[in-house]
PDB file of all heavy atoms in Angstrom:
ATOM      1  N   MET O   1       0.838  -1.206   0.003  1.00 94.00           N
ATOM      2  CA  MET O   1       0.013   0.011   0.003  1.00 94.00           C
ATOM      3  C   MET O   1       0.858   1.271   0.026  1.00 94.00           C
ATOM      4  O   MET O   1       0.483   2.247  -0.630  1.00 94.00           O
ATOM      5  CB  MET O   1      -0.886  -0.084   1.248  1.00 94.00           C
ATOM      6  CG  MET O   1      -1.969   1.044   1.243  1.00 94.00           C
ATOM      7  SD  MET O   1      -3.122   0.734  -0.075  1.00 94.00           S
ATOM      8  CE  MET O   1      -4.253   2.109   0.201  1.00 94.00           C
ATOM      9  N   ARG O   2       1.986   1.215   0.725  1.00 96.00           N
ATOM     10  CA  ARG O   2       2.865   2.376   0.749  1.00 96.00           C
ATOM     11  C   ARG O   2       3.418   2.689  -0.645  1.00 96.00           C
ATOM     12  O   ARG O   2       3.600   3.824  -0.991  1.00 96.00           O
ATOM     13  CB  ARG O   2       4.016   2.141   1.687  1.00 96.00           C
ATOM     14  CG  ARG O   2       3.655   2.229   3.136  1.00 96.00           C
ATOM     15  CD  ARG O   2       4.916   2.112   3.975  1.00 96.00           C
ATOM     16  NE  ARG O   2       4.574   1.756   5.321  1.00 96.00           N
ATOM     17  CZ  ARG O   2       5.486   1.461   6.244  1.00 96.00           C
ATOM     18  NH1 ARG O   2       6.763   1.465   5.919  1.00 96.00           N
ATOM     19  NH2 ARG O   2       5.162   1.190   7.490  1.00 96.00           N
ATOM     20  N   ALA O   3       3.740   1.600  -1.408  1.00 95.00           N
ATOM     21  CA  ALA O   3       4.264   1.826  -2.739  1.00 95.00           C
ATOM     22  C   ALA O   3       3.261   2.505  -3.636  1.00 95.00           C
ATOM     23  O   ALA O   3       3.603   3.374  -4.464  1.00 95.00           O
ATOM     24  CB  ALA O   3       4.667   0.488  -3.328  1.00 95.00           C
ATOM     25  N   LEU O   4       2.014   2.173  -3.509  1.00 96.00           N
ATOM     26  CA  LEU O   4       0.954   2.784  -4.330  1.00 96.00           C
ATOM     27  C   LEU O   4       0.812   4.287  -3.953  1.00 96.00           C
ATOM     28  O   LEU O   4       0.637   5.089  -4.845  1.00 96.00           O
ATOM     29  CB  LEU O   4      -0.349   2.053  -4.049  1.00 96.00           C
ATOM     30  CG  LEU O   4      -1.566   2.500  -4.889  1.00 96.00           C
ATOM     31  CD1 LEU O   4      -1.286   2.307  -6.356  1.00 96.00           C
ATOM     32  CD2 LEU O   4      -2.845   1.730  -4.531  1.00 96.00           C
ATOM     33  N   ILE O   5       0.839   4.539  -2.655  1.00 96.00           N
ATOM     34  CA  ILE O   5       0.786   5.945  -2.191  1.00 96.00           C
ATOM     35  C   ILE O   5       1.984   6.748  -2.735  1.00 96.00           C
ATOM     36  O   ILE O   5       1.878   7.878  -3.251  1.00 96.00           O
ATOM     37  CB  ILE O   5       0.639   6.026  -0.706  1.00 96.00           C
ATOM     38  CG1 ILE O   5      -0.659   5.435  -0.241  1.00 96.00           C
ATOM     39  CG2 ILE O   5       0.741   7.451  -0.237  1.00 96.00           C
ATOM     40  CD1 ILE O   5      -0.805   5.271   1.226  1.00 96.00           C
ATOM     41  N   ALA O   6       3.168   6.154  -2.637  1.00 96.00           N
ATOM     42  CA  ALA O   6       4.396   6.826  -3.073  1.00 96.00           C
ATOM     43  C   ALA O   6       4.331   7.077  -4.589  1.00 96.00           C
ATOM     44  O   ALA O   6       4.707   8.115  -5.064  1.00 96.00           O
ATOM     45  CB  ALA O   6       5.616   6.005  -2.743  1.00 96.00           C
ATOM     46  N   ALA O   7       3.834   6.090  -5.338  1.00 97.00           N
ATOM     47  CA  ALA O   7       3.668   6.256  -6.801  1.00 97.00           C
ATOM     48  C   ALA O   7       2.647   7.364  -7.135  1.00 97.00           C
ATOM     49  O   ALA O   7       2.927   8.154  -8.028  1.00 97.00           O
ATOM     50  CB  ALA O   7       3.273   4.953  -7.413  1.00 97.00           C
ATOM     51  N   ALA O   8       1.588   7.425  -6.385  1.00 97.00           N
ATOM     52  CA  ALA O   8       0.563   8.465  -6.620  1.00 97.00           C
ATOM     53  C   ALA O   8       1.144   9.849  -6.303  1.00 97.00           C
ATOM     54  O   ALA O   8       0.907  10.817  -7.069  1.00 97.00           O
ATOM     55  CB  ALA O   8      -0.658   8.223  -5.799  1.00 97.00           C
ATOM     56  N   ILE O   9       1.912   9.962  -5.223  1.00 97.00           N
ATOM     57  CA  ILE O   9       2.522  11.267  -4.856  1.00 97.00           C
ATOM     58  C   ILE O   9       3.558  11.648  -5.937  1.00 97.00           C
ATOM     59  O   ILE O   9       3.587  12.841  -6.368  1.00 97.00           O
ATOM     60  CB  ILE O   9       3.158  11.148  -3.469  1.00 97.00           C
ATOM     61  CG1 ILE O   9       2.060  11.037  -2.434  1.00 97.00           C
ATOM     62  CG2 ILE O   9       4.044  12.394  -3.224  1.00 97.00           C
ATOM     63  CD1 ILE O   9       2.618  10.804  -1.026  1.00 97.00           C
ATOM     64  N   GLY O  10       4.371  10.740  -6.419  1.00 96.00           N
ATOM     65  CA  GLY O  10       5.330  11.020  -7.448  1.00 96.00           C
ATOM     66  C   GLY O  10       4.673  11.435  -8.744  1.00 96.00           C
ATOM     67  O   GLY O  10       5.119  12.378  -9.388  1.00 96.00           O
ATOM     68  N   LEU O  11       3.609  10.728  -9.105  1.00 97.00           N
ATOM     69  CA  LEU O  11       2.902  11.107 -10.328  1.00 97.00           C
ATOM     70  C   LEU O  11       2.253  12.509 -10.216  1.00 97.00           C
ATOM     71  O   LEU O  11       2.323  13.304 -11.156  1.00 97.00           O
ATOM     72  CB  LEU O  11       1.813  10.078 -10.614  1.00 97.00           C
ATOM     73  CG  LEU O  11       1.059  10.210 -11.918  1.00 97.00           C
ATOM     74  CD1 LEU O  11       2.003  10.097 -13.128  1.00 97.00           C
ATOM     75  CD2 LEU O  11      -0.008   9.143 -12.013  1.00 97.00           C
ATOM     76  N   ALA O  12       1.699  12.794  -9.073  1.00 97.00           N
ATOM     77  CA  ALA O  12       1.069  14.109  -8.863  1.00 97.00           C
ATOM     78  C   ALA O  12       2.150  15.234  -8.903  1.00 97.00           C
ATOM     79  O   ALA O  12       1.918  16.276  -9.481  1.00 97.00           O
ATOM     80  CB  ALA O  12       0.348  14.096  -7.503  1.00 97.00           C
ATOM     81  N   ALA O  13       3.331  14.948  -8.325  1.00 97.00           N
ATOM     82  CA  ALA O  13       4.384  15.925  -8.337  1.00 97.00           C
ATOM     83  C   ALA O  13       4.920  16.167  -9.793  1.00 97.00           C
ATOM     84  O   ALA O  13       5.147  17.328 -10.198  1.00 97.00           O
ATOM     85  CB  ALA O  13       5.545  15.494  -7.464  1.00 97.00           C
ATOM     86  N   ALA O  14       5.023  15.101 -10.535  1.00 96.00           N
ATOM     87  CA  ALA O  14       5.468  15.241 -11.900  1.00 96.00           C
ATOM     88  C   ALA O  14       4.447  15.979 -12.759  1.00 96.00           C
ATOM     89  O   ALA O  14       4.814  16.823 -13.557  1.00 96.00           O
ATOM     90  CB  ALA O  14       5.752  13.858 -12.522  1.00 96.00           C
ATOM     91  N   LEU O  15       3.196  15.679 -12.541  1.00 97.00           N
ATOM     92  CA  LEU O  15       2.121  16.392 -13.273  1.00 97.00           C
ATOM     93  C   LEU O  15       2.090  17.822 -12.934  1.00 97.00           C
ATOM     94  O   LEU O  15       1.909  18.676 -13.807  1.00 97.00           O
ATOM     95  CB  LEU O  15       0.782  15.702 -13.005  1.00 97.00           C
ATOM     96  CG  LEU O  15      -0.414  16.229 -13.773  1.00 97.00           C
ATOM     97  CD1 LEU O  15      -0.184  16.033 -15.282  1.00 97.00           C
ATOM     98  CD2 LEU O  15      -1.684  15.559 -13.312  1.00 97.00           C
ATOM     99  N   ALA O  16       2.271  18.164 -11.651  1.00 96.00           N
ATOM    100  CA  ALA O  16       2.306  19.555 -11.211  1.00 96.00           C
ATOM    101  C   ALA O  16       3.451  20.302 -11.826  1.00 96.00           C
ATOM    102  O   ALA O  16       3.299  21.442 -12.258  1.00 96.00           O
ATOM    103  CB  ALA O  16       2.367  19.637  -9.712  1.00 96.00           C
ATOM    104  N   LEU O  17       4.606  19.617 -11.927  1.00 93.00           N
ATOM    105  CA  LEU O  17       5.772  20.308 -12.573  1.00 93.00           C
ATOM    106  C   LEU O  17       5.503  20.522 -14.055  1.00 93.00           C
ATOM    107  O   LEU O  17       5.864  21.634 -14.550  1.00 93.00           O
ATOM    108  CB  LEU O  17       7.004  19.377 -12.396  1.00 93.00           C
ATOM    109  CG  LEU O  17       8.310  19.928 -12.975  1.00 93.00           C
ATOM    110  CD1 LEU O  17       8.726  21.153 -12.281  1.00 93.00           C
ATOM    111  CD2 LEU O  17       9.414  18.849 -12.844  1.00 93.00           C
ATOM    112  N   VAL O  18       4.937  19.575 -14.733  1.00 92.00           N
ATOM    113  CA  VAL O  18       4.641  19.758 -16.151  1.00 92.00           C
ATOM    114  C   VAL O  18       3.619  20.909 -16.320  1.00 92.00           C
ATOM    115  O   VAL O  18       3.840  21.733 -17.231  1.00 92.00           O
ATOM    116  CB  VAL O  18       4.107  18.454 -16.798  1.00 92.00           C
ATOM    117  CG1 VAL O  18       3.514  18.694 -18.163  1.00 92.00           C
ATOM    118  CG2 VAL O  18       5.247  17.387 -16.833  1.00 92.00           C
ATOM    119  N   LEU O  19       2.618  20.957 -15.540  1.00 93.00           N
ATOM    120  CA  LEU O  19       1.654  22.039 -15.640  1.00 93.00           C
ATOM    121  C   LEU O  19       2.209  23.374 -15.351  1.00 93.00           C
ATOM    122  O   LEU O  19       1.881  24.366 -15.939  1.00 93.00           O
ATOM    123  CB  LEU O  19       0.415  21.724 -14.740  1.00 93.00           C
ATOM    124  CG  LEU O  19      -0.424  20.565 -15.160  1.00 93.00           C
ATOM    125  CD1 LEU O  19      -1.559  20.355 -14.148  1.00 93.00           C
ATOM    126  CD2 LEU O  19      -1.048  20.790 -16.544  1.00 93.00           C
ATOM    127  N   THR O  20       3.157  23.434 -14.386  1.00 91.00           N
ATOM    128  CA  THR O  20       3.786  24.678 -14.031  1.00 91.00           C
ATOM    129  C   THR O  20       4.630  25.226 -15.185  1.00 91.00           C
ATOM    130  O   THR O  20       4.602  26.359 -15.573  1.00 91.00           O
ATOM    131  CB  THR O  20       4.655  24.519 -12.792  1.00 91.00           C
ATOM    132  OG1 THR O  20       3.797  24.086 -11.711  1.00 91.00           O
ATOM    133  CG2 THR O  20       5.303  25.804 -12.378  1.00 91.00           C
ATOM    134  N   VAL O  21       5.427  24.283 -15.742  1.00 87.00           N
ATOM    135  CA  VAL O  21       6.253  24.708 -16.902  1.00 87.00           C
ATOM    136  C   VAL O  21       5.403  25.109 -18.115  1.00 87.00           C
ATOM    137  O   VAL O  21       5.699  26.128 -18.757  1.00 87.00           O
ATOM    138  CB  VAL O  21       7.230  23.527 -17.266  1.00 87.00           C
ATOM    139  CG1 VAL O  21       7.938  23.847 -18.583  1.00 87.00           C
ATOM    140  CG2 VAL O  21       8.213  23.300 -16.167  1.00 87.00           C
ATOM    141  N   THR O  22       4.301  24.416 -18.308  1.00 88.00           N
ATOM    142  CA  THR O  22       3.422  24.772 -19.405  1.00 88.00           C
ATOM    143  C   THR O  22       2.774  26.139 -19.155  1.00 88.00           C
ATOM    144  O   THR O  22       2.662  26.969 -20.077  1.00 88.00           O
ATOM    145  CB  THR O  22       2.254  23.724 -19.532  1.00 88.00           C
ATOM    146  OG1 THR O  22       2.903  22.431 -19.741  1.00 88.00           O
ATOM    147  CG2 THR O  22       1.405  24.023 -20.691  1.00 88.00           C
ATOM    148  N   ALA O  23       2.404  26.450 -17.906  1.00 88.00           N
ATOM    149  CA  ALA O  23       1.738  27.744 -17.644  1.00 88.00           C
ATOM    150  C   ALA O  23       2.748  28.840 -17.785  1.00 88.00           C
ATOM    151  O   ALA O  23       2.410  29.954 -18.276  1.00 88.00           O
ATOM    152  CB  ALA O  23       1.170  27.703 -16.191  1.00 88.00           C
ATOM    153  N   ILE O  24       3.982  28.644 -17.356  1.00 86.00           N
ATOM    154  CA  ILE O  24       5.012  29.700 -17.473  1.00 86.00           C
ATOM    155  C   ILE O  24       5.395  29.888 -18.907  1.00 86.00           C
ATOM    156  O   ILE O  24       5.590  30.985 -19.349  1.00 86.00           O
ATOM    157  CB  ILE O  24       6.250  29.321 -16.585  1.00 86.00           C
ATOM    158  CG1 ILE O  24       5.852  29.349 -15.165  1.00 86.00           C
ATOM    159  CG2 ILE O  24       7.379  30.270 -16.893  1.00 86.00           C
ATOM    160  CD1 ILE O  24       6.927  28.884 -14.200  1.00 86.00           C
ATOM    161  N   GLY O  25       5.494  28.797 -19.634  1.00 79.00           N
ATOM    162  CA  GLY O  25       5.877  28.899 -21.050  1.00 79.00           C
ATOM    163  C   GLY O  25       7.367  28.590 -21.250  1.00 79.00           C
ATOM    164  O   GLY O  25       8.152  28.769 -20.320  1.00 79.00           O
ATOM    165  N   ALA O  26       7.672  28.160 -22.404  1.00 70.00           N
ATOM    166  CA  ALA O  26       9.096  27.873 -22.705  1.00 70.00           C
ATOM    167  C   ALA O  26       9.854  29.153 -22.817  1.00 70.00           C
ATOM    168  O   ALA O  26       9.349  30.136 -23.321  1.00 70.00           O
ATOM    169  CB  ALA O  26       9.186  27.070 -23.968  1.00 70.00           C
ATOM    170  N   PRO O  27      11.133  29.181 -22.377  1.00 69.00           N
ATOM    171  CA  PRO O  27      11.936  30.394 -22.526  1.00 69.00           C
ATOM    172  C   PRO O  27      12.195  30.681 -24.006  1.00 69.00           C
ATOM    173  O   PRO O  27      12.470  29.771 -24.795  1.00 69.00           O
ATOM    174  CB  PRO O  27      13.231  30.055 -21.781  1.00 69.00           C
ATOM    175  CG  PRO O  27      13.294  28.561 -21.752  1.00 69.00           C
ATOM    176  CD  PRO O  27      11.848  28.080 -21.767  1.00 69.00           C
ATOM    177  N   THR O  28      12.072  31.940 -24.324  1.00 73.00           N
ATOM    178  CA  THR O  28      12.360  32.334 -25.718  1.00 73.00           C
ATOM    179  C   THR O  28      13.847  32.542 -25.867  1.00 73.00           C
ATOM    180  O   THR O  28      14.550  33.132 -25.116  1.00 73.00           O
ATOM    181  CB  THR O  28      11.640  33.684 -26.061  1.00 73.00           C
ATOM    182  OG1 THR O  28      12.062  34.664 -25.124  1.00 73.00           O
ATOM    183  CG2 THR O  28      10.136  33.505 -25.946  1.00 73.00           C
ATOM    184  N   GLY O  29      14.378  31.922 -26.918  1.00 73.00           N
ATOM    185  CA  GLY O  29      15.796  31.997 -27.224  1.00 73.00           C
ATOM    186  C   GLY O  29      16.010  31.765 -28.714  1.00 73.00           C
ATOM    187  O   GLY O  29      15.124  31.396 -29.436  1.00 73.00           O
ATOM    188  N   GLU O  30      17.191  32.059 -29.110  1.00 77.00           N
ATOM    189  CA  GLU O  30      17.514  31.911 -30.514  1.00 77.00           C
ATOM    190  C   GLU O  30      18.592  30.824 -30.623  1.00 77.00           C
ATOM    191  O   GLU O  30      19.480  30.683 -29.798  1.00 77.00           O
ATOM    192  CB  GLU O  30      18.081  33.210 -31.140  1.00 77.00           C
ATOM    193  CG  GLU O  30      17.050  34.340 -31.120  1.00 77.00           C
ATOM    194  CD  GLU O  30      17.589  35.609 -31.733  1.00 77.00           C
ATOM    195  OE1 GLU O  30      18.769  35.576 -32.175  1.00 77.00           O
ATOM    196  OE2 GLU O  30      16.900  36.577 -31.729  1.00 77.00           O
ATOM    197  N   THR O  31      18.445  30.030 -31.671  1.00 74.00           N
ATOM    198  CA  THR O  31      19.437  29.001 -31.963  1.00 74.00           C
ATOM    199  C   THR O  31      20.521  29.547 -32.907  1.00 74.00           C
ATOM    200  O   THR O  31      20.252  30.474 -33.677  1.00 74.00           O
ATOM    201  CB  THR O  31      18.824  27.737 -32.554  1.00 74.00           C
ATOM    202  OG1 THR O  31      18.135  28.105 -33.790  1.00 74.00           O
ATOM    203  CG2 THR O  31      17.813  27.124 -31.584  1.00 74.00           C
ATOM    204  N   SER O  32      21.657  28.960 -32.863  1.00 71.00           N
ATOM    205  CA  SER O  32      22.712  29.414 -33.730  1.00 71.00           C
ATOM    206  C   SER O  32      22.458  28.961 -35.162  1.00 71.00           C
ATOM    207  O   SER O  32      22.046  27.823 -35.400  1.00 71.00           O
ATOM    208  CB  SER O  32      24.053  28.793 -33.278  1.00 71.00           C
ATOM    209  OG  SER O  32      25.070  29.134 -34.171  1.00 71.00           O
ATOM    210  N   PRO O  33      22.603  29.845 -36.152  1.00 75.00           N
ATOM    211  CA  PRO O  33      22.435  29.458 -37.513  1.00 75.00           C
ATOM    212  C   PRO O  33      23.483  28.527 -38.039  1.00 75.00           C
ATOM    213  O   PRO O  33      23.277  27.842 -39.038  1.00 75.00           O
ATOM    214  CB  PRO O  33      22.439  30.819 -38.281  1.00 75.00           C
ATOM    215  CG  PRO O  33      23.267  31.721 -37.454  1.00 75.00           C
ATOM    216  CD  PRO O  33      22.995  31.246 -36.023  1.00 75.00           C
ATOM    217  N   GLU O  34      24.621  28.464 -37.377  1.00 75.00           N
ATOM    218  CA  GLU O  34      25.705  27.627 -37.810  1.00 75.00           C
ATOM    219  C   GLU O  34      25.509  26.216 -37.233  1.00 75.00           C
ATOM    220  O   GLU O  34      25.185  26.068 -36.078  1.00 75.00           O
ATOM    221  CB  GLU O  34      27.057  28.152 -37.350  1.00 75.00           C
ATOM    222  CG  GLU O  34      27.349  29.515 -37.892  1.00 75.00           C
ATOM    223  CD  GLU O  34      28.695  30.049 -37.408  1.00 75.00           C
ATOM    224  OE1 GLU O  34      29.363  29.278 -36.662  1.00 75.00           O
ATOM    225  OE2 GLU O  34      29.046  31.160 -37.716  1.00 75.00           O
ATOM    226  N   PRO O  35      25.706  25.184 -38.025  1.00 74.00           N
ATOM    227  CA  PRO O  35      25.588  23.817 -37.518  1.00 74.00           C
ATOM    228  C   PRO O  35      26.719  23.448 -36.584  1.00 74.00           C
ATOM    229  O   PRO O  35      27.810  24.045 -36.685  1.00 74.00           O
ATOM    230  CB  PRO O  35      25.580  22.973 -38.781  1.00 74.00           C
ATOM    231  CG  PRO O  35      26.321  23.752 -39.751  1.00 74.00           C
ATOM    232  CD  PRO O  35      26.035  25.210 -39.443  1.00 74.00           C
ATOM    233  N   LEU O  36      26.516  22.513 -35.742  1.00 74.00           N
ATOM    234  CA  LEU O  36      27.586  22.042 -34.885  1.00 74.00           C
ATOM    235  C   LEU O  36      28.540  21.218 -35.698  1.00 74.00           C
ATOM    236  O   LEU O  36      28.155  20.347 -36.464  1.00 74.00           O
ATOM    237  CB  LEU O  36      27.003  21.163 -33.698  1.00 74.00           C
ATOM    238  CG  LEU O  36      26.135  21.872 -32.737  1.00 74.00           C
ATOM    239  CD1 LEU O  36      25.527  20.925 -31.746  1.00 74.00           C
ATOM    240  CD2 LEU O  36      26.890  22.930 -32.020  1.00 74.00           C
ATOM    241  N   LEU O  37      29.792  21.555 -35.597  1.00 71.00           N
ATOM    242  CA  LEU O  37      30.822  20.862 -36.331  1.00 71.00           C
ATOM    243  C   LEU O  37      31.397  19.740 -35.456  1.00 71.00           C
ATOM    244  O   LEU O  37      31.871  19.980 -34.400  1.00 71.00           O
ATOM    245  CB  LEU O  37      31.943  21.795 -36.790  1.00 71.00           C
ATOM    246  CG  LEU O  37      31.463  22.978 -37.674  1.00 71.00           C
ATOM    247  CD1 LEU O  37      32.642  23.877 -37.966  1.00 71.00           C
ATOM    248  CD2 LEU O  37      30.876  22.448 -38.957  1.00 71.00           C
ATOM    249  N   THR O  38      31.364  18.527 -35.993  1.00 75.00           N
ATOM    250  CA  THR O  38      31.920  17.385 -35.314  1.00 75.00           C
ATOM    251  C   THR O  38      32.966  16.742 -36.176  1.00 75.00           C
ATOM    252  O   THR O  38      32.879  16.832 -37.390  1.00 75.00           O
ATOM    253  CB  THR O  38      30.855  16.371 -34.915  1.00 75.00           C
ATOM    254  OG1 THR O  38      30.215  15.963 -36.077  1.00 75.00           O
ATOM    255  CG2 THR O  38      29.835  16.945 -34.016  1.00 75.00           C
ATOM    256  N   THR O  39      33.899  16.118 -35.574  1.00 76.00           N
ATOM    257  CA  THR O  39      34.953  15.447 -36.349  1.00 76.00           C
ATOM    258  C   THR O  39      34.789  13.947 -36.145  1.00 76.00           C
ATOM    259  O   THR O  39      34.471  13.495 -35.038  1.00 76.00           O
ATOM    260  CB  THR O  39      36.337  15.889 -35.882  1.00 76.00           C
ATOM    261  OG1 THR O  39      36.471  15.571 -34.506  1.00 76.00           O
ATOM    262  CG2 THR O  39      36.572  17.336 -36.134  1.00 76.00           C
ATOM    263  N   VAL O  40      34.993  13.189 -37.176  1.00 77.00           N
ATOM    264  CA  VAL O  40      34.909  11.804 -37.106  1.00 77.00           C
ATOM    265  C   VAL O  40      36.347  11.211 -37.254  1.00 77.00           C
ATOM    266  O   VAL O  40      37.066  11.636 -38.136  1.00 77.00           O
ATOM    267  CB  VAL O  40      34.024  11.256 -38.283  1.00 77.00           C
ATOM    268  CG1 VAL O  40      34.042   9.702 -38.295  1.00 77.00           C
ATOM    269  CG2 VAL O  40      32.662  11.806 -38.237  1.00 77.00           C
ATOM    270  N   PRO O  41      36.765  10.377 -36.338  1.00 75.00           N
ATOM    271  CA  PRO O  41      38.129   9.878 -36.413  1.00 75.00           C
ATOM    272  C   PRO O  41      38.330   9.040 -37.685  1.00 75.00           C
ATOM    273  O   PRO O  41      37.425   8.399 -38.100  1.00 75.00           O
ATOM    274  CB  PRO O  41      38.296   9.014 -35.143  1.00 75.00           C
ATOM    275  CG  PRO O  41      36.883   8.706 -34.722  1.00 75.00           C
ATOM    276  CD  PRO O  41      36.033   9.842 -35.177  1.00 75.00           C
ATOM    277  N   GLU O  42      39.518   9.174 -38.192  1.00 78.00           N
ATOM    278  CA  GLU O  42      39.838   8.423 -39.420  1.00 78.00           C
ATOM    279  C   GLU O  42      39.980   6.941 -39.141  1.00 78.00           C
ATOM    280  O   GLU O  42      40.550   6.605 -38.083  1.00 78.00           O
ATOM    281  CB  GLU O  42      41.130   8.964 -40.043  1.00 78.00           C
ATOM    282  CG  GLU O  42      41.028  10.366 -40.532  1.00 78.00           C
ATOM    283  CD  GLU O  42      42.300  10.853 -41.180  1.00 78.00           C
ATOM    284  OE1 GLU O  42      43.252  10.027 -41.346  1.00 78.00           O
ATOM    285  OE2 GLU O  42      42.386  12.031 -41.526  1.00 78.00           O
ATOM    286  N   HIS O  43      39.485   6.143 -40.002  1.00 77.00           N
ATOM    287  CA  HIS O  43      39.631   4.690 -39.843  1.00 77.00           C
ATOM    288  C   HIS O  43      41.012   4.251 -40.397  1.00 77.00           C
ATOM    289  O   HIS O  43      41.432   4.705 -41.442  1.00 77.00           O
ATOM    290  CB  HIS O  43      38.534   3.943 -40.562  1.00 77.00           C
ATOM    291  CG  HIS O  43      37.155   4.233 -40.016  1.00 77.00           C
ATOM    292  ND1 HIS O  43      36.787   3.750 -38.803  1.00 77.00           N
ATOM    293  CD2 HIS O  43      36.161   4.986 -40.443  1.00 77.00           C
ATOM    294  CE1 HIS O  43      35.509   4.144 -38.520  1.00 77.00           C
ATOM    295  NE2 HIS O  43      35.113   4.925 -39.520  1.00 77.00           N
ATOM    296  N   PRO O  44      41.658   3.374 -39.706  1.00 72.00           N
ATOM    297  CA  PRO O  44      42.990   2.946 -40.169  1.00 72.00           C
ATOM    298  C   PRO O  44      42.892   2.079 -41.419  1.00 72.00           C
ATOM    299  O   PRO O  44      41.945   1.522 -41.724  1.00 72.00           O
ATOM    300  CB  PRO O  44      43.553   2.083 -39.000  1.00 72.00           C
ATOM    301  CG  PRO O  44      42.379   1.731 -38.179  1.00 72.00           C
ATOM    302  CD  PRO O  44      41.298   2.729 -38.454  1.00 72.00           C
TER     303      PRO O  44
END
């Protein structure tokens, strides 16, 4: 029974966090127009 209560509390906390972030809104920001440059190691 304790596990069920703990799961319910955790689910309620996660749902509250999601609703809070949704209400506040995503932060506005700009992404870089340049792609990320990665290097691939050469195969021998």
Side-chain angles (χ1 to χ4, degrees):
M1 190 67 180
R2 287 187 197 172
L4 185 61
I5 294 172
I9 291 173
L11 185 62
L15 185 60
L17 180 64
V18 168
L19 290 177
T20 302
V21 171
T22 303
I24 293 174
T28 57
E30 297 180 3
T31 58
S32 174
E34 298 178 4
L36 294 175
L37 300 177
T38 58
T39 58
V40 177
E42 295 181 6
H43 294 287

